[in-house]
Amino acid sequence: MNPLRLAQIEMFCAVVEEGTVIAASRRLNCVASNVTARLKELELLVGQELFLREKGRLILTPEGRLFYRQALPVVSGAQSLTDLFAEGSPRGILNIGALDVALEGYLPKIVPDFLTACPGVELKMFLRPTYTLERMLADGEIDLALTDGPIVHPLMESRFAFREKLALAMPEGQKGARDGQHVFLFNTDCFYRRYFETWLERHGVSNAIIHTVESYDVILACVQAGLGISCVPHSIHSQVKRRRREGIVFTYPEDLKGSEVYFIWREPGLNDLGRRFLDHAPTHPDTHKK
């Protein structure tokens, strides 16, 4: 069965509302024979007579009345789609994925200004780890990512956003990382986990028991209880309440440098809404291929 065409439905509604084929053709700026042909096609497709034809008059059948009631939202919906971007202000759904450190300390400075300037934009922000963000970006699930960089990639481009320092979190009284001790970190798809594991190896810490805990509150509670150590991004550390810091020593070792966080998007270029979002972010002179 052939699908109904929007033009057929629009012509049917125009005839009902104008009363005659000629009046409907004037409204639609087409010849009357075209309207008549589309009405016959429509009746064949739905398998019902929608009009009674009496001496040049068209009278709606009971089936025609039902069809008209169902067709009205379709026609008005199509019209609203035509006018969706007519107002001139930016509209759309912008998907952005970000690391927790970006959502905590960086994006709160950007998002309110962006939404104030672009009230017609629906923003969807996703908290995801580094490697998941890169996969989502490659698959087109998000338009823009805020993640660790730069990483050289021929199909992606990036712009520096901010630098994130890492703090070593240890129980009070402990002087450094110990061989074989417990370590509390996020999952293996977290860049900081990989980074901290490498740091532990450089410091000769082997046989560590690494617990996967995707909650900084739980991680810090374990460190506070003297059960082990962790690394915490500065943006998270800076928001830890005083009572949660008791019994924990936070230090920033020179060789635990953290990472640079970048805006990343797919080539051949960032879409218009993504560019508008970047316009509200602090600029940096370095732009890299990722």
Side-chain angles (χ1 to χ4, degrees), residues 92-97 103 107 110-116 118-126 143-144 273-274 277:
I93 301 173
L94 181 64
N95 292 342
I96 298 177
L103 287 168
L107 288 174
I110 301 170
V111 173
D113 287 343
F114 171 75
L115 291 180
T116 299
C118 304
V121 175
E122 179 182 334
L123 189 61
K124 292 188 176 181
M125 307 200 80
F126 305 93
D143 304 294
L144 190 63
L273 292 183
F277 190 87

Side-chain angles (χ1 to χ4, degrees), residues 168-185 193 196-197 199-201 203-212 219 222-231 249 251:
L168 176 63
M170 297 183 296
E172 202 167 54
Q174 183 171 330
K175 300 302 182 182
R178 299 171 182 168
D179 193 32
Q181 76 173 141
H182 292 250
V183 179
F184 300 90
L185 297 171
R193 174 171 178 146
F196 193 59
E197 286 176 341
W199 184 87
L200 290 172
E201 290 174 5
H203 283 258
V205 177
S206 59
N207 302 317
I209 302 172
I210 299 180
H211 301 274
T212 299
I219 286 174
C222 291
V223 176
Q224 195 174 42
L227 298 176
I229 66 172
S230 184
C231 73
V249 175
T251 62

Side-chain angles (χ1 to χ4, degrees), residues 47-267:
Q48 294 289 340
E49 287 189 349
L50 302 177
F51 293 100
L52 292 176
R53 292 162 175 83
E54 295 181 356
K55 298 179 181 179
R57 297 174 59 207
L58 293 177
I59 302 171
L60 274 175
T61 63
E63 294 82 4
R65 295 189 198 102
L66 175 62
F67 190 85
Y68 178 66
R69 188 176 73 184
Q70 298 294 101
L72 273 178
V74 175
V75 174
S76 61
Q79 184 61 47
S80 67
L81 287 176
T82 302
D83 299 335
L84 188 60
F85 305 103
E87 296 179 2
S89 61
R91 299 194 68 180
I93 301 173
L94 181 64
N95 292 342
I96 298 177
L99 299 174
D100 51 3
V101 295
L103 287 168
E104 288 290 336
Y106 184 73
L107 288 174
K109 305 171 186 175
I110 301 170
V111 173
D113 287 343
F114 171 75
L115 291 180
T116 299
C118 304
V121 175
E122 179 182 334
L123 189 61
K124 292 188 176 181
M125 307 200 80
F126 305 93
L127 169 61
R128 297 290 187 273
T130 298
Y131 304 107
T132 301
L133 287 173
E134 292 180 359
R135 193 270 306 163
M136 292 175 72
L137 192 63
D139 291 346
E141 296 177 29
I142 55 177
D143 304 294
L144 190 63
L146 263 165
T147 186
D148 306 286
I151 300 174
V152 177
H153 194 296
L155 301 179
M156 293 187 188
E157 191 172 343
S158 68
R159 195 188 88 183
F160 178 83
F162 65 97
R163 181 167 186 81
E164 182 64 31
K165 296 188 296 183
L166 283 179
L168 176 63
M170 297 183 296
E172 202 167 54
Q174 183 171 330
K175 300 302 182 182
R178 299 171 182 168
D179 193 32
Q181 76 173 141
H182 292 250
V183 179
F184 300 90
L185 297 171
F186 270 55
N187 209 344
T188 54
D189 55 1
C190 174
F191 174 82
Y192 295 127
R193 174 171 178 146
R194 305 277 184 91
Y195 188 89
F196 193 59
E197 286 176 341
T198 302
W199 184 87
L200 290 172
E201 290 174 5
R202 287 203 310 267
H203 283 258
V205 177
S206 59
N207 302 317
I209 302 172
I210 299 180
H211 301 274
T212 299
V213 182
E214 296 199 331
S215 164
Y216 285 113
D217 285 341
V218 176
I219 286 174
L220 292 177
C222 291
V223 176
Q224 195 174 42
L227 298 176
I229 66 172
S230 184
C231 73
V232 180
H234 175 72
S235 58
I236 303 297
H237 169 213
S238 63
Q239 298 189 39
V240 177
K241 295 180 180 179
R242 181 176 297 179
R243 64 180 179 82
R244 299 308 301 259
R245 299 187 187 200
E246 293 176 0
I248 303 176
V249 175
F250 294 94
T251 62
Y252 289 88
E254 278 294 320
D255 60 345
L256 189 63
K257 294 181 179 179
S259 67
E260 293 181 340
V261 178
Y262 281 72
F263 286 106
I264 304 168
W265 59 91
R266 295 183 307 277
E267 287 284 23

